Amino acid sequence: MTSEITAPADGYGQWLVELKARYRQVQLKAAVAVNTAMLQFYWELGADMVAKQTQFAWGSGFLRQLSADLMREFPEVKGFSKRNLEQIRRWYSFWNASPSIAQQAASQLMGIPWGHHLASEALRGQLPSIEQLERELGLGVDDEAEAGRAGV
């Protein structure tokens, strides 16, 4: 007697292929949803850090303390290092200065993985304007609006 399972011949193989593809799609959608939620959180955290530091004139030790407190509460989370909090604050401050981004509550930025945002920091110093950086990253550039600005 064998314990081997034999698959039904009528359409099983095709159905299995489709089932696996649907599962992979759901996995991808879930990953994108998590990424979007985390970026929204980072955007709000950046805004909070800037506002609180300005409002209460908290000094340079603020980020070190915040990092320690958050890492103590969430030890499994890697995103609360002092360095990452500094990057979140810079990321928020940089893009918040762009009206085309800030007016839309950063919705254009939420589809880009955090690692790409960190990589874009290198571009920021090499480009002469935020508009050029937006073009480099494919954000907020409408060809018709661009043509209108250029007088075409």
Side-chain angles (χ1 to χ4, degrees):
M1 184 170 197
T2 179
S3 63
E4 200 173 300
I5 299 174
T6 57
D10 292 336
Y12 179 82
Q14 182 59 37
W15 173 74
L16 183 59
V17 167
E18 292 168 4
L19 182 63
K20 290 190 271 186
R22 286 193 338 239
Y23 182 77
R24 287 185 181 105
Q25 283 182 322
V26 169
Q27 282 182 311
L28 183 58
K29 284 181 183 179
V32 168
V34 167
N35 181 65
T36 300
M38 289 306 302
L39 287 171
Q40 185 65 43
F41 174 77
Y42 285 168
W43 182 263
E44 293 167 3
L45 176 58
D48 287 350
M49 288 188 294
V50 168
K52 298 290 185 197
Q53 211 162 8
T54 301
Q55 179 183 3
F56 297 111
W58 291 339
S60 61
F62 159 64
L63 288 181
R64 187 171 42 266
Q65 182 65 51
L66 180 61
S67 173
D69 291 339
L70 290 172
M71 288 187 347
R72 187 173 25 264
E73 183 66 25
F74 307 105
E76 70 285 357
V77 176
K78 304 289 185 228
F80 294 131
S81 68
K82 181 178 179 274
R83 181 172 183 247
N84 204 51
L85 293 177
E86 290 168 341
Q87 290 172 321
I88 290 168
R89 185 178 60 187
R90 277 194 309 273
W91 173 70
Y92 169 80
S93 295
F94 178 81
W95 288 111
N96 191 50
S98 169
S100 65
I101 299 291
Q103 286 175 348
Q104 298 179 29
S107 63
Q108 295 180 18
L109 293 172
M110 297 304 141
I112 301 171
W114 179 241
H116 291 134
H117 287 288
L118 297 179
S120 75
E121 271 197 282
L123 286 176
R124 292 180 205 160
Q126 297 173 12
L127 300 172
S129 70
I130 195 163
E131 291 80 14
Q132 188 173 352
L133 181 56
E134 288 172 347
R135 279 193 300 279
E136 289 289 324
L137 294 175
L139 299 173
V141 177
D142 178 334
D143 290 336
E144 290 177 28
E146 191 67 25
R149 275 189 284 213
V152 177

